[in-house]
Amino acid sequence: MRLLKLYFLSLVAVFLFACSDDDEGPEYMFDREISEYSVLYDCETGGADSNSCFKIRYRYPYRLDDYAGLCLWFDTTIVNDTSKAVSDKQIRLAHDTSNEETYFHEYKKSGRYYDTIDVSKMVAPFIKDGYDSLQVALFSEYTDGGDPGAVQRLFLHFKDNFDPAIVVPDDSVWSNGVLLSWDRPTDQTSFHMIGAGSGKIYGYNVVIYAIDRPDEDIRDLKVSVQSPAGTDYTGGTIYKRNAQIVHTNDSVYVKELERNDKDKNYLRLVVFDGQGYDASNPVKNHFRMIIEGLRTRSNTDNYEYKVGFSSWDIVGNRSGSQGDVQVDPKNWKGIMTTDSIAPLMPSKIFVEEDSLFPGYAKLDSNNRVRIYWNRSVDPITFKHGITIDSELVIPKNCHVHECYEKVSKYIVEYYNKVDKSWKRNAEAEDRFGAHYIKEDDGTFKLDVLDTGSFVGDTIRRVAPGDTIILRILAVDNSGYKSDALLDTVFVSPGKLGYELKCPVGFVAVSTSDTTSFCMERLEHQDADGKFVTNVLHSEAVAACEAISASGFEVSLCRERDWELACLSGGSLSYGVIEEDDTDASDYLFRVCNVSTNDSTIAADIAKRDAGCMNPMGVRDLPGQYQEWVMGRSEDTIAVLKGSSYKIFEGLDRESIAYCTNRAFPFYTRPAYTQDTVYLYREGTQVDTVYAADTTRTLYKILTKSDFKDTLQFYDVVDSKGKVIGTDYSLYSEYQKGGKTWLDSLANGLTYKPSRKEPVFLTGEKRYYREASSFYKSPTIGFRCCAYKK
């Protein structure tokens, strides 16, 4: 095979009569050089083999007078890699059609600035001879004998010499095993097709190494591999033991390794692939390897393993460690199994009780509940004698560092009843650094000496009467987790909640010292738990009135009640507890989904953030959906409160999310008049007014008989056949659009044409507020309120 020739591009110019570099320093003319040259991985139809399809695209020299064309030299037979200029003889050789290493491309005027040359046939012999890449020299030819530009160079790459993307597997360990997981890497196969990363991956070398323990035989550890092709438990199809992918000359193959007792602390595996990265379905790129049978550590051991990992494409390029301890040490990944003795956890969570409701957790003024549990310990031996109860009882002869160690951290989780999953409340070391002492009356006091036997955590944004299911785990220094402390905390309903005893789905709210009622915790949902949106105001009213609750009268929330509940006695601006150190706009966007344009979060309660809540437990008042309420008067009965996920142009999310903000739905319609129109000439302009002006000279009077425009009016009918409003459009639009257009205008209602009226269009738009009675939108929902009879 001929040696690979790679040379960097050189942009220099010489006089046409110069045959080589000289001592006088020729002056190069940049306006006679080609520029913006590039390689296209393409060829003409019916041209060379697709593996040798190349075009060179370039911009003509700025000076085209007397420009004859472009000379191309392939390889270095005529122009070597250091030449800045060529001689007249070399230019003549470029016209020699019998020479495969030269080519002349004649200039033909076309009015374009660019030209493209198909060089597929010229480079085919070089590919056949085994070249990996090829240099092409380009030089402009002029017929006027003037100074030429310099030789330009570019390179054609014929083979894939790009390594796959580097992969570092994720690991999860336990007492005697490890789970390695990774995604198939992308692989670029062509220098000239940037971004094409779906080259096929041959497979992966995986090496497990027991550090400094040559006596440990890990060659027969239990291994299973899950890949997009299936699962292999035996090493018969998807993976192979005692093997390694290697590359020799032009071949890539799996080499079987001798079973050598000197290397028994190595486990060498090959995982087969054969596919390229699947961008359309990323799940199909995932691999998992489970290795079982590693040594379990105790607190006094320091058993550690390392993993070497490399990925190979189908032509033999690789990334990552080859598996040799001396090669690419930075790519070795250390893993440490856990010890075999788990930390111990007590069996009870303690809380500060509400004095009015014994047995219930007290809720502070910021809707927080403080929880406490006895500190966990991590035994060093199995015969520790520690008793597990609501508090751990440690024998007198069991001392720290002799009988047990302190744990590294705690994980506190709460159960989300909506999506039936555990959510992380906290995982930290310093968060639980404070210790507490339990007083005789059951209360807890912060221990300034830090010797207390209890630790605590804060559960935030808790609603009155909530039931919180908690799970707490202790983690030792090796990552081994304790059995979970599972307990349930019942939160005090508060005096108001206890007295009102609201219907299911409602929470007690107070708008003054003397006024209280029940409000739906979330926007109204149907029997299947889906939020009810895209409804008329009248439909929202009917849905609330259809709810039967003993001792209560249920209706659509009144505007003033909704607003006062949102304000929470004037302490809130947006109806949400604001205790984070972030500005309101960010909090409304991140927690309450205000002006995000994300309708999926609004529709799925499991995706909503429970932190968007006011102190009384009412959620999502500022965001998710705007809400119909009962207006304060007959002319403003259909009113909207709050904001939604929709972005309102020209309005910032803070302004539209204020509790005091109110909105009136409307459609934009062409403004018109049926009154007499007076036209007064002002110079060359005609002024249109609708009242007579005796101080000016009248140009013309238009009455209804003179009006040229016509409006079509409609009776808007709901699903029950009731006329709920009137709408209108230009008669010309109605004639042109027909029934399909009218149905789109109706938005699920029925538009019955009622009459046509001649009008004078003023040329302006008007906010047609009468549309509020038949306005509906997928961004609008509602919630109901229940009032004591």
Side-chain angles (χ1 to χ4, degrees), residues 335-347:
I335 57 174
M336 186 179 294
T337 55
T338 62
D339 68 67
S340 58
I341 307 176
L344 303 178
M345 281 293 288
S347 59

Side-chain angles (χ1 to χ4, degrees), residues 595 648 650-657:
S595 300
F648 292 92
L651 294 174
D652 62 86
R653 62 174 58 95
E654 290 183 62
S655 299
I656 59 177

Side-chain angles (χ1 to χ4, degrees), residues 748-762:
L749 299 170
T750 301
Y751 269 40
K752 291 186 176 180
S754 58
R755 69 185 190 280
K756 297 191 293 287
E757 293 283 351
V759 298
F760 182 84
L761 296 178
T762 66

Side-chain angles (χ1 to χ4, degrees), residues 327-338:
V327 178
D328 297 336
K330 65 182 180 181
N331 288 322
W332 283 88
K333 182 181 181 68
I335 57 174
M336 186 179 294
T337 55
T338 62

Side-chain angles (χ1 to χ4, degrees), residues 728-759:
Y728 67 88
S729 69
L730 293 176
Y731 180 67
S732 58
E733 291 181 339
Y734 170 61
Q735 281 188 311
K736 181 180 179 180
K739 185 179 185 304
T740 302
W741 173 83
L742 190 59
D743 288 343
S744 66
L745 185 69
N747 189 26
L749 299 170
T750 301
Y751 269 40
K752 291 186 176 180
S754 58
R755 69 185 190 280
K756 297 191 293 287
E757 293 283 351
V759 298

Side-chain angles (χ1 to χ4, degrees), residues 25-85:
E27 180 182 353
Y28 304 120
M29 305 297 291
F30 73 88
D31 59 347
R32 296 191 177 210
E33 299 172 3
I34 64 168
S35 60
E36 299 180 24
Y37 38 88
S38 60
V39 177
L40 306 179
Y41 190 56
D42 191 15
C43 61
E44 303 295 343
T45 304
D49 185 272
S50 60
N51 292 327
S52 59
C53 279
F54 293 96
K55 289 180 181 179
I56 294 176
R57 191 175 189 219
Y58 63 96
R59 185 185 178 101
Y60 290 130
Y62 289 106
R63 181 170 180 176
L64 289 176
D65 296 340
D66 304 311
Y67 172 65
L70 188 68
C71 303
L72 294 86
W73 295 269
F74 300 91
D75 201 13
T76 58
T77 305
I78 297 177
V79 181
N80 64 43
D81 61 309
T82 61
S83 296
K84 299 177 182 177

